[in-house]
C-alpha cells in the first residue's frame, strides 16, 4: 500500500476499500519505522493528521462531495506556514515560531481534503543543495543512507522516495525541488513564477521562489500541482490567469513534438553515468517520434554567478526581519539594542545563511550595487531572452537535472562553491521564470537515481506534464522503489 501512487490510493479511498484513517495510520507507522534512519521529518502531528482523516471518512459516509485529494496524505516543507504548527525553516532562528495563519497552498490542500502529515527537513532557509545545512538533522538518501538526498527540499524528496508519504510540497528558488527529486528518484516540479501563490511561504529570494509538488510519478505531481495552482490576490506576483487542469490532459500526446537539447548542458563537469542515462532518455523520445533539435543558451555560463548575486541580495533584505524583536530567537544577554540585534542574529543563523547575508549585503552596498546587483539583473534578462529564443524552436528543453548523482554526506561541506555548482542546470529556469520538472530516467551502476529535466515556456505547465508523461508511459524508472523500503 505504501508504495502506491496517490492516484491509486485515491481510487481505493473512493471505492471505500480503505478508510482515510487506516491509510493515514499506515503512513504514520512507516514514518515511525523508517524515519529514524531517513530523518526526512522535523515534526509529525499524528493527532491532527488522524483527525483530518476521520473527518474525510465521516463526510464520505454521509455522501458529501469531497475534494480531489480526499484522504491522501501530503508532507509539507518546513517553510510553508500551517496555522499552529512549527515552521522553523530548519533554523534555530525560528525554532519556536508557530505561524498564526495558513499559507494559500495549505488552504487549497484543506479545500482538496488532503491529510497534512507533517513538516519536512530542509537546508536552513532553503539555502543549500544537500539538506546538510539544516540546524537540526541531516536527511539521508533512501537509495543510499550514506548519501545526501539533495536540497534544499531534501526532506520532502526523501519522504516520498522512502514511501513515508505519497505526496509532498517543496519550494524551488534555484533547483530545490528538481535537484532533490533527481537525486531521490522521484518526480519534482517547479511551476512558472507567479503560478502558485507565495502567500505563507517564508521568503528566501522573492523573485525566484516557487512552491511545487513531489510525487512518485508525473501524474501524481500533476494532481498535486492542480490542487495548489491558481491566482491569489494576497501575493502581488501571483498571475491572474486561469490555471490549467493538468490531471485531465497529461495522457494526451503532443504531435509533432520538437525537443531542444542544450549544447552547453553537456560540457565539462557532467558525470559520465548521468550523461549516459540522459542521452538514452533522449533516444527514447526519438523512438517515440520526437524531433530533437540543438538549441543554444549562450548566457547559461553566467547563470550560477547571476543567481548568487540576485538570490543573496534578496535574501539579505528578506532576512533583515529576523532582528530578535519581530520574529524568532532573541539573545538572552545583551547590553543595548544594537548588541541585542547582533547577538540574536549571530546565535540564530547558521554559517551558510550568514555567508549569504554578507554576500547579498555587499552586492547591494553603495559603490558596489551597480557593479554587482544591477549588472546581475541585466544578465538575468539576457538569460531570460536565451530561453525565449530557444522556445521558438522547440516545445521543451531537455537535459540533466543535476551534473552528478547524490554525493556522500560531508563530501562538499567545506566547499561552498562545489555545492553551488549542483544547481548549474536548474538555476536558469528560476532566473527566467519558466516551469521545469525532473523525472527519473535511470540509475548509475551503483544504484543511484538519475533525473531528466524538462523545461517549457512560461505558463506551459500543461504541455510540460504531457511531454514528461510521454516518457513515463514508455519507461518504468518511476516504478522503482529503494531496496531499503521493501
Ligand atoms: N541550491 C540553491 C541554493 O543554495 C537553490 C536553493 C533553492 O532552490 N532553494 O541557493
Amino acid at each position: 500500500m505504501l508504495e502506491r501512487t496517490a492516484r491509486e490510493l485515491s481510487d481505493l479511498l473512493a471505492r471505500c476499500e480503505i478508510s482515510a484513517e487506516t491509510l493515514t495510520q499506515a503512513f504514520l507507522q512507516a514514518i515511525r519505522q523508517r524515519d529514524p534512519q531517513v530523518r526526512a521529518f522535523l515534526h509529525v502531528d499524528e493527532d491532527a493528521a488522524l483527525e483530518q482523516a476521520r473527518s474525510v471518512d465521516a463526510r464520505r459516509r454521509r455522501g458529501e462531495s469531497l475534494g480531489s485529494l480526499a484522504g491522501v496524505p501530503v508532507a509539507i516543507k518546513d517553510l510553508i506556514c500551517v496555522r499552529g504548527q512549527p515552521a522553523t525553516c530548519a533554523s534555530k532562528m525560528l525554532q519556536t515560531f508557530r505561524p498564526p495563519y495558513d499559507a494559500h497552498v495549505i488552504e487549497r490542500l484543506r479545500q482538496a481534503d488532503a491529510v497534512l502529515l507533517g513538516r519536512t527537513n530542509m537546508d536552513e532557509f532553503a539555502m543549500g543543495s544537500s539538506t546538510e545545512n539544516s540546524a537540526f538533522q541531516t536527511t539521508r538518501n533512501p537509495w543510499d543512507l550514506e548519501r545526501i538526498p539533495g536540497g534544499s527540499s531534501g526532506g520532502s524528496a526523501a519522504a516520498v522516495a522512502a514511501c513515508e508519504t505519497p505526496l509532498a510540497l517543496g519550494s524551488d528558488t534555484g533547483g530545490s525541488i528538481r535537484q532533490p527529486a533527481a537525486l531521490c528518484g522521484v518526480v519534482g516540479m517547479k511551476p512558472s513564477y507567479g503560478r502558485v501563490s507565495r502567500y505563507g511561504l517564508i521568503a528566501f529570494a522573492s523573485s525566484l521562489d516557487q512552491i511545487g509538488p513531489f510525487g512518485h510519478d508525473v501524474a501524481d505531481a500533476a494532481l498535486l500541482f492542480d490542487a495548489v495552482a491558481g491566482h491569489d490576490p494576497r501575493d502581488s506576483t501571483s498571475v491572474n490567469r486561469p490555471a490549467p487542469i493538468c490531471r485531465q490532459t497529461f495522457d494526451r500526446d503532443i504531435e509533432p513534438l520538437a525537443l531542444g537539447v542544450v549544447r552547453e548542458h553537456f560540457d565539462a563537469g557532467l558525470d559520465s553515468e548521468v550523461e549516459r542515462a540522459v542521452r538514452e532518455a533522449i533516444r527514447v523520445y526519438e523512438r517515440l517520434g520526437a524531433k530533437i533539435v540543438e538549441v543554444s543558451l549562450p548566457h547559461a555560463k553566467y547563470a550560477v554567478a547571476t543567481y548568487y548575486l540576485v538570490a543573496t541580495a534578496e535574501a539579505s533584505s528578506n532576512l533583515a526581519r529576523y532582528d530578535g524583536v519581530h520574529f524568532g530567537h532573541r539573545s538572552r544577554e545583551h547590553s543595548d539594542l544594537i548588541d541585542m540585534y547582533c547577538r540574536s542574529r549571530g546565535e540564530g543563523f547558521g554559517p551558510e545563511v550568514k555567508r549569504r547575508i554578507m554576500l547579498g549585503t555587499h552586492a547591494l552596498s553603495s559603490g558596489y550595487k551597480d557593479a554587482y546587483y544591477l549588472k546581475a539583473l541585466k544578465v538575468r534578462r539576457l538569460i531570460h531572452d536565451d530561453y525565449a529564443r530557444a522556445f521558438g524552436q522547440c516545445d521543451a528543453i531537455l537535459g540533466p537535472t543535476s551534473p552528478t548523482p547524490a554525493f556522500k554526506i560531508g563530501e562538499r561541506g567545506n566547499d561552498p562553491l562545489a555545492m553551488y555548482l549542483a544547481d548549474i542546470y536548474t538555476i536558469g529556469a528560476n532566473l527566467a521564470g519558466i516551469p521545469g520538472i525532473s523525472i527519473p530516467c535511470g540509475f548509475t551502476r551503483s544504484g543511484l537515481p538519475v533525473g531528466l529535466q524538462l523545461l517549457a515556456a512560461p505558463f506551459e505547465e500543461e504541455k510540460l506534464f504531457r511531454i514528461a508523461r510521454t516518457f513515463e508511459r514508455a519507461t518504468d524508472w518511476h516504478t522503482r522503489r529503494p531496496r531499503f523500503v521493501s
Side-chain angles (χ1 to χ4, degrees):
M1 174 117 62
L2 299 171
E3 298 188 21
R4 306 256 183 127
T5 65
R7 276 158 11 273
E8 289 166 345
L9 295 172
S10 179
D11 287 347
L12 291 175
L13 288 160
R15 293 200 302 265
C16 296
E17 288 179 29
I18 187 170
S19 70
E21 183 177 0
T22 313
L23 186 67
T24 301
Q25 287 282 16
F27 281 105
L28 290 173
Q29 178 161 352
I31 294 171
R32 281 196 295 272
Q33 280 171 349
R34 296 170 185 179
D35 216 50
Q37 290 181 74
V38 181
R39 316 203 72 193
F41 281 88
L42 287 174
H43 176 79
V44 178
D45 193 336
E46 298 209 356
D47 294 338
L50 287 169
E51 197 181 298
Q52 289 168 50
R54 280 187 212 109
S55 126
V56 170
D57 287 336
R59 286 167 46 219
R60 199 186 298 278
R61 273 195 301 273
R62 289 200 295 270
E64 289 178 26
S65 76
L66 296 170
S68 61
L69 292 170
V72 178
V74 185
I76 310 293
K77 185 177 180 179
D78 206 29
L79 46 41
I80 299 172
C81 293
V82 174
R83 190 178 53 244
Q85 289 202 2
T88 69
C89 289
S91 178
K92 285 191 198 138
M93 185 58 92
L94 289 176
Q95 194 158 10
T96 57
F97 175 59
R98 297 210 171 214
Y101 69 101
D102 281 339
H104 177 76
V105 294
I106 299 300
E107 292 175 355
R108 295 285 302 271
L109 289 180
R110 291 194 198 281
Q111 283 158 18
D113 294 311
V115 171
L116 305 178
L117 271 189
R119 319 280 307 163
T120 54
N121 196 27
M122 54 185 281
D123 287 298
E124 184 177 0
F125 283 100
M127 298 173 187
S129 303
S130 69
T131 316
E132 291 166 296
N133 293 338
S134 166
F136 306 124
Q137 64 196 38
T138 296
T139 299
R140 286 154 191 277
N141 191 313
W143 294 90
D144 177 349
L145 297 172
E146 304 287 293
R147 290 178 188 266
I148 56 101
S152 65
S153 313
S156 291
V160 173
C163 301
E164 295 177 15
T165 180
L167 296 172
L169 284 181
S171 67
D172 190 312
T173 306
S176 278
I177 293 175
R178 291 161 287 156
Q179 185 258 15
L183 271 41
C184 288
V186 298
V187 171
M189 188 262 187
K190 179 199 97 72
S192 309
Y193 184 75
R195 182 61 98 186
V196 177
S197 170
R198 293 181 294 109
Y199 178 78
L201 168 70
I202 298 177
F204 161 13
S206 309
S207 78
L208 301 160
D209 298 340
Q210 269 293 291
I211 295 171
F214 286 93
H216 288 298
D217 63 14
V218 172
D220 272 13
L223 185 68
L224 184 52
F225 168 80
D226 282 354
V228 298
H231 181 236
D232 171 23
R234 293 169 300 185
D235 169 3
S236 62
T237 61
S238 157
V239 292
N240 192 359
R241 46 161 111 186
I245 306 180
C246 299
R247 67 179 182 281
Q248 289 174 357
T249 57
F250 59 64
D251 271 327
R252 289 189 207 150
D253 283 331
I254 293 190
E255 283 174 32
L257 176 62
L259 295 175
V261 172
V262 180
R263 202 175 305 141
E264 294 82 1
H265 280 184
F266 290 89
D267 284 352
L270 177 60
D271 176 274
S272 62
E273 291 197 80
V274 173
E275 175 164 1
R276 184 179 47 77
V278 170
R279 292 216 185 267
E280 180 51 36
I282 295 172
R283 279 193 289 277
V284 169
Y285 272 113
E286 270 181 313
R287 281 201 292 278
L288 294 168
K291 184 169 149 240
I292 306 294
V293 297
E294 194 180 79
V295 296
S296 177
L297 302 173
H299 300 93
K301 56 178 175 290
Y302 304 119
V304 173
T306 305
Y307 171 84
Y308 278 96
L309 289 166
V310 174
T312 58
E314 293 184 18
S316 76
S317 171
N318 273 326
L319 273 60
R321 72 191 65 169
Y322 306 107
D323 55 5
V325 178
H326 296 86
F327 293 98
H329 177 76
R330 180 184 299 180
S331 173
R332 278 182 216 286
E333 284 168 42
H334 44 262
S335 50
D336 58 24
L337 183 64
I338 298 294
D339 189 45
M340 191 278 284
Y341 291 154
C342 294
R343 284 175 191 265
S344 300
R345 289 168 70 80
E347 293 163 9
F349 291 136
E352 182 61 27
V353 176
K354 287 179 185 161
R355 181 180 297 124
R356 305 271 180 121
I357 291 173
M358 286 191 280
L359 286 170
T361 305
H362 182 67
L364 287 174
S365 62
S366 127
Y368 291 96
K369 191 177 85 188
D370 290 338
Y372 291 128
Y373 180 65
L374 293 182
K375 187 81 171 183
L377 293 186
K378 291 176 187 166
V379 181
R380 180 177 188 176
R381 164 58 67 170
L382 295 175
I383 291 169
H384 169 276
D385 293 350
D386 280 357
Y387 281 100
R389 219 172 298 117
F391 289 122
Q393 293 168 259
C394 60
D395 297 292
I397 289 173
L398 84 179
T401 306
S402 158
T404 65
F407 44 91
K408 287 240 165 79
I409 290 170
E411 198 178 289
R412 296 192 193 173
N414 295 323
D415 189 349
L417 205 54
M419 195 71 92
Y420 294 176
L421 290 174
D423 296 305
I424 192 156
Y425 303 130
T426 47
I427 274 174
N430 303 77
L431 291 169
I434 60 175
I437 192 167
S438 179
I439 59 177
C441 75
F443 288 86
T444 65
R445 273 186 296 275
S446 55
L448 298 172
V450 177
L452 177 74
Q453 177 176 239
L454 292 156
L455 304 170
F459 302 107
E460 296 208 326
E461 283 90 356
E462 194 189 344
K463 192 175 190 182
L464 184 66
F465 279 120
R466 285 162 69 180
I467 297 171
R469 180 75 174 159
T470 300
F471 180 83
E472 186 166 275
R473 279 201 311 270
T475 55
D476 66 358
W477 305 114
H478 60 286
T479 63
R480 314 277 177 99
R481 303 286 181 264
R483 203 171 326 137
F484 159 79
V485 158
S486 34

